[in-house]
Amino acid sequence: MSDKLRKATILPLLLAAAGVGAGAVADEAQPSSAPLERVRVEDVEPQSTATPAPEPEPRWVGPYRLLRELGTGGMGTVYLAESNGPRPRRVALKLIREGPGATELSAQFEVERRALAVVDHDFVARLYDSGTSADGRPWIAMEYVAGEPLTDYCDRRRLDVEARLRLFIDVCEAVGH
């Protein structure tokens, strides 16, 4: 398996371990167990027929233009972003969330930033840059590696248990590093 392919399959798992991923969003979408309440038509306010507002202008964080959201988690949001410069580069930009507990998150975020700064492993995305946004929130820009969930990768290739375990060992070595 090529290094790029390994990195593409391992990165989503590492993002999930860091608290970023589809699972964080899926947890919020669980159906409620509250009983349904009958609503009369006359009690419902009419829906607006106005057209939706246009997308806001692209946002910038440091020298990076945010292109789209890749995922959210307990610590913040990860965006696909592009650097502004003579050689534009696409990155995965993690921006800490605002609100209650942001001070504690900032301390955890700093630990993560320092750890990523010293990691040099073929299967772990590299840290390129870090800073503070205009509104005071810390961010990090990492190597962007397009990938898919590890389970989808294994299922699509119909990997047997032994092949899945070899891949899992690679993931464990990357996380252990």
Side-chain angles (χ1 to χ4, degrees), residues 4-64:
K4 185 173 183 177
L5 182 58
R6 284 180 192 240
K7 201 178 280 187
T9 59
I10 292 171
L11 182 62
L13 183 61
L14 294 176
L15 288 174
V20 177
V25 176
D27 289 344
E28 297 172 6
Q30 295 299 318
S32 170
S33 60
L36 294 176
E37 201 173 294
R38 193 172 290 276
V39 178
R40 296 182 316 175
V41 172
E42 53 271 8
D43 293 338
V44 178
E45 292 182 29
Q47 296 293 320
S48 170
T49 58
T51 58
E55 287 290 317
E57 290 296 313
R59 292 186 28 208
W60 291 82
V61 175
Y64 299 95

Side-chain angles (χ1 to χ4, degrees), residues 11 15 20 59-72 76-84 89-96 109 112 125-133 137-145:
L11 182 62
L15 288 174
V20 177
R59 292 186 28 208
W60 291 82
V61 175
Y64 299 95
R65 181 171 59 102
L66 304 182
L67 302 175
R68 67 180 167 92
E69 184 177 303
L70 295 174
T72 60
T77 304
V78 178
Y79 297 92
L80 174 62
E82 189 171 67
S83 64
N84 181 24
R89 171 181 13 203
R90 288 202 166 185
V91 300
L93 189 138
K94 185 174 184 179
L95 182 63
I96 196 169
F109 199 78
E112 180 179 342
R126 286 160 179 71
L127 177 68
Y128 289 142
D129 198 0
S130 63
T132 305
S133 67
R137 295 184 290 159
W139 57 267
I140 55 175
M142 298 174 53
E143 176 182 14
Y144 171 68
V145 180

